[in-house]
C-alpha cells in the first residue's frame, strides 16, 4: 500500500474546522484513534506490536531484540497543522515494509517501526516528549506535572490512555534495542530541490515561556497613568524576538502563541503568557538571541510596572547527525543532497544515544505546521522507496 | 434583605477557576441560573415578572404601564470579572423595594426593575446588547449573526434560552413604558471619594476588531525574510493604542483581547485577531485616536506583507445624562457629587430615549472588570438607601 493511500485513510481524523488543517495532540481522542489505526495496519502486516512505558508504539518485523534497525516518526500535529509532518514518516515506514516484502527481502537484523508520543508538544508544551522520556532527557516528575490548556496533567492524560504514569521515564532496556534509527520526514523549508535528501544537523533550539503579570482593570475607566498593562511588554517581546533574530545570521525567533488573561475586549489584562521559539546554528548563538530578547522584554516590563518571569520549557543543543551514516545513506540513494534543518525531531533526541539519520521528502512551498503543508505523491513514493533501500542496506 | 446578602446568595454562581472572579455571559448556563435567581427573588416580593422579546427581564411593582419609574442593571460579567459590576445594581433595586415597603411607601406610578441581557458583550462582542436591541440601536439581523467563541450565533443562543430569535429587535411598546430610568452601578475608577455619587456623562467609546492575515508556517524552518507574520503588526497595534491615547488628554485605548491562530508555540501564526477598546471625552477625539491607531497598524501590516481588515463592532457617542434630573437626584441625596465615567452602561443607551440617571457606589481601589473589584458593604447599603430615596421621589 502506498504512503499516500495510507495517509488518505486517516485524512478525516482530527480535522480542525476552526483553524484549518489538523489538531492531533498526544493522547487526545484523535491521536488515540490514529494509534489504533497504526496498530491495525501493523497487525495486518503480521508485525508484533508493543507500547513501551512512555506510550511510544513499536511494531516489530522479526523478533524484538538488540541491534534492531528502527524507523518511524509521530502521529500528533501542531494545532491546525498539516497532513504530512509526522504521519508521512509512519506511512512510508509501513510502505517500506511492504516494498521489501514484495522484493522477497529477509532482514538479518530485527526491524521496528516506532511511533513516538507527543512529538510537537502541541498539548503539553514540551516537544519530543516520548523520545525525551525514553532517553531520560526529561525528568519524569517534571513530565507528570506538565498541564494542557484545560488543566489536565500529563500524568492524568497518560493514565486515561491506559498507561501507568508512575512508570514513565528513562527506559534503557527499550532504548538499547535500537541499533540504528532512520526517520523519514517531510522537509519544512524550501531548501530541498530534488525529491529526497538526508539531514546533516538540527539548529540549536528551545522554547521559553514569558509570563507578564500586571493588574487587571477596566479598559474604560482606568487612567493610562494608573495602568500596569502586561500586553505592552508582551508586544515588545514579539518585536524584540524578530529584532534579536535578525541580528544573528540564520537565526529564527518567533512568538506564535500568546494568551492574555482574562482576554476581555473591555478589560486590561492581568496576565499575558507568551512563548518564544528561538533557533540558531549554534548553542552560543541561540543563547545570545534569547538573552537579547529577555533583556528587552525585562526592560519593557519594568517600564510598565509589570512582573516578568521567564521559564525555559525545553532546549536542545545543535544536533549533528552521524556524518558517516549520512554519507553512506546519501550514497545508497545515488548521491542525494545533505542539508540542515531548523525543525526539531525525535531523531534529534535519539542522536545522542544511537547512530541516527534522517531522510527528507521535498516540500514544494516550504510551508509546514500549517494546513497548506504539502508533498507531491510522487515524491512521497520516492521517499518510501529510499527508506526501503536504506532499511535493506542496514538490515540485509 | 440587604444588597450584600443578596449578592452573597449568588457568590458561588459562575466562578471562573482559571481566570479568577466570575465568567457569566449572556444566555449561558450560568447567566440563566442568575436569571432564575432574580425571578425567584421577584416572585418572593410579589412582583409581576415578564421577559421581553429581547430577553430583558422586567419585574413590576404595581400594574405594568406607561410612565413607569424603572431601575435595574445586568447580571452578566466580563470574562473573569468582579462580583459587583451589574449584580450590585440589581441587588440594590431589590433592596430598595424592601426598604420602601418597610417604610409603608405606596408608589403612585408603576415601578419596575429591569435586568438587561448581555451588557458586557463578553460572549457576543457587542456591549449593551439587550438595551441596544429594545431601542433599535442595533439591526436585529446583525445581532442574530453575532457569534461567540464556540461559533454559536446569538440567534441560536436566544432560541436555546427559549426566546424566538425572529422576534428580537426594536420594541417601542416595551420602551415607551419607561418614564424615567435610574441605574445604580459600582464606580469603576477612583474618582468617587464618598459612598454615593451621580453620573454626568459617559465617554464616547467603541470596539474595533483588527484582523491581521499573514501566512502560517513553521517557526523553525522559515527564514525571517520569507515570513509574513501577523503577530508583528498586532504587537505594533498594542503599542500604537497606548501611544495614540496618550497624545489626546483623558483618552484611553486598550488591547485586552488578542488571539493568534493557530496559536502553536512552534508555528508562525496565519491570522491574529485583536480588539481595540478606545474612549475619549468627545466623538471627535475618540475617532482621532482610532484613526491614528489604524494608520500605525496599517503601516506595520504593510511592512510585513500582512493583510489588515478593521471592523467597528460597536460605537457610542458621548452620552450626557439629563442634567436637570442629575441635579435633582444629587439634591435629594444631600448634595452628592456628580462625575463622568469611562464605562458604558445600558443607561447610556436608554439616555437617548428617556430621562436617565445613574447612581455610583464608591470603589475604594478603582479596580473593576477584575476579580479584585470591590465595594464596602456599608457603601452598598448607602447606595441602596439612595436608590430607594430616588425611586420614592420619582414615584411618590
Amino acid at each position: 500500500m502506498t504512503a499516500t493511500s495510507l495517509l488518505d485513510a486517516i485524512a478525516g481524523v482530527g480535522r480542525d474546522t476552526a483553524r484549518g488543517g489538523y489538531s492531533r495532540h498526544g493522547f487526545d481522542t484523535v491521536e488515540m484513534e490514529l494509534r489504533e489505526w497504526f496498530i491495525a495496519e501493523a497487525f495486518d502486516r503480521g508485525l508484533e506490536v508493543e507500547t513501551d512505558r512512555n506510550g511510544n508504539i513499536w511494531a516489530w518485523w522479526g523478533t524484538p531484540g538488540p541491534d534492531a534497525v528502527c524507523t518511524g516518526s509521530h502521529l500528533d500535529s501542531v494545532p491546525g497543522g498539516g497532513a504530512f509532518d509526522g504521519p508521512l514518516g509512519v506511512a512510508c515506514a509501513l510502505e517500506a515494509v511492504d516494498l521489501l516484502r514484495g522484493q522477497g527481502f529477509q532482514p538479518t537484523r530485527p526491524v521496528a517501526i516506532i511511533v513516538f508520543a507527543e512529538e510537537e508538544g502541541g498539548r503539553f508544551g514540551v516537544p519530543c516528549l516520548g523520545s525525551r522520556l525514553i532517553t531520560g532527557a526529561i525528568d519524569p516528575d517534571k513530565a507528570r506535572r506538565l498541564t494542557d490548556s484545560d488543566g489536565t496533567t500529563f500524568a492524568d492524560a497518560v493514565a486515561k490512555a491506559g498507561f501507568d504514569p508512575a512508570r514513565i521515564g528513562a527506559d534503557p532496556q527499550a532504548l538499547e534495542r535500537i541499533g540504528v534509527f532512520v526517520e523519514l520526514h517531510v522537509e519544512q523549508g524550501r531548501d530541498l530541490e530534488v525529491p529526497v535528501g538526508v539531514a546533516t544537523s538540527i539548529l540549536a533550539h528551545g522554547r521559553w515561556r514569558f509570563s507578564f503579570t500586571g493588574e487587571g482593570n477596566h479598559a474604560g475607566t482606568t487612567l493610562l497613568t494608573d495602568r500596569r498593562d502586561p500586553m505592552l511588554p508582551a508586544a515588545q517581546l514579539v518585536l524584540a524576538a524578530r529584532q534579536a533574530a535578525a541580528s544573528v545570521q540564520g537565526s529564527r525567533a518567533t512568538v506564535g502563541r500568546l494568551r492574555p488573561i482574562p482576554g476581555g475586549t473591555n478589560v486590561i489584562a492581568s496576565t499575558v503568557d507568551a512563548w518564544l521559539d528561538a533557533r540558531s546554528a549554534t548553542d552560543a548563538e541561540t543563547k545570545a538571541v534569547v538573552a537579547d530578547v529577555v533583556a528587552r522584554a525585562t526592560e519593557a516590563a519594568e517600564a510598565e510596572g509589570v512582573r516578568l518571569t521567564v521559564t525555559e520549557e525545553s532546549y536542545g543543543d545543535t544536533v549533528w547527525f552521524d556524518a558517516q551514516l549520512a554519507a553512506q545513506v546519501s550514497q545508497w540513494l545515488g548521491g542525494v543532497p545533505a542539508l540542515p534543518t531548523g525543525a526539531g525531531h525525535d531523531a534529534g533526541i535519539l542522536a545522542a544515544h544511537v547512530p541516527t539519520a534522517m531522510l527528507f521528502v521535498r516540500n514544494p512551498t516550504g510551508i509546514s505546521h500549517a494546513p497548506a503543508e504539502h508533498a507531491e505523491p510522487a515524491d512521497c513514493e520516492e521517499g518510501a522507496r529510499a527508506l526501503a533501500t536504506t532499511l535493506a542496506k542496514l538490515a540485509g
Side-chain angles (χ1 to χ4, degrees), chain A residues 217-223 227 266-268:
Chain A
N217 214 330
H218 193 296
T221 57
T222 314
L223 301 180
R227 296 183 178 210
N266 50 352
V267 186
I268 299 165

Side-chain angles (χ1 to χ4, degrees), chain A residues 208-212 231-243 255 257-258 273-276 293-294 296-297 300 308:
Chain A
W208 292 263
R209 177 182 181 149
F210 287 63
S211 195
F212 299 93
M231 279 294 272
L232 274 86
Q236 296 282 12
L237 164 68
V238 172
L239 303 179
R242 170 65 68 92
Q243 286 159 5
V255 178
R257 184 177 170 203
L258 186 150
D273 290 327
W275 283 260
L276 172 70
V293 174
V294 170
R296 292 173 195 238
L308 169 61

Side-chain angles (χ1 to χ4, degrees), chain A residues 58 126 222 225 327:
Chain A
W58 303 60
V126 176
T222 314
T225 47

Side-chain angles (χ1 to χ4, degrees), chain A residues 220-360:
Chain A
T221 57
T222 314
L223 301 180
L224 299 183
T225 47
D226 284 346
R227 296 183 178 210
R228 298 193 290 119
D229 182 350
M231 279 294 272
L232 274 86
Q236 296 282 12
L237 164 68
V238 172
L239 303 179
R242 170 65 68 92
Q243 286 159 5
S247 70
V248 178
Q249 175 69 27
S251 297
R252 297 107 204 236
T254 310
V255 178
R257 184 177 170 203
L258 186 150
R259 189 177 58 192
I261 297 167
T265 305
N266 50 352
V267 186
I268 299 165
S270 57
T271 298
V272 176
D273 290 327
W275 283 260
L276 172 70
D277 177 301
R279 318 188 189 215
S280 302
T282 67
D283 176 73
E285 284 174 350
T286 305
K287 291 195 168 153
V289 167
V290 173
D292 187 0
V293 174
V294 170
R296 292 173 195 238
T298 301
E299 191 184 330
E302 283 171 0
E304 183 69 12
V306 164
R307 189 158 48 84
L308 169 61
T309 58
V310 182
T311 312
E312 182 180 291
E313 292 200 337
S314 69
Y315 182 72
D317 199 351
T318 311
V319 173
W320 294 99
F321 290 111
D322 185 312
Q324 199 181 337
L325 178 61
Q328 217 168 24
V329 172
S330 170
Q331 188 197 325
W332 293 333
L333 302 179
V336 299
L339 68 166
T341 180
H345 297 286
D346 293 309
I349 304 295
L350 294 180
H353 302 270
V354 296
T356 300
M358 289 194 77
L359 296 179
F360 290 133

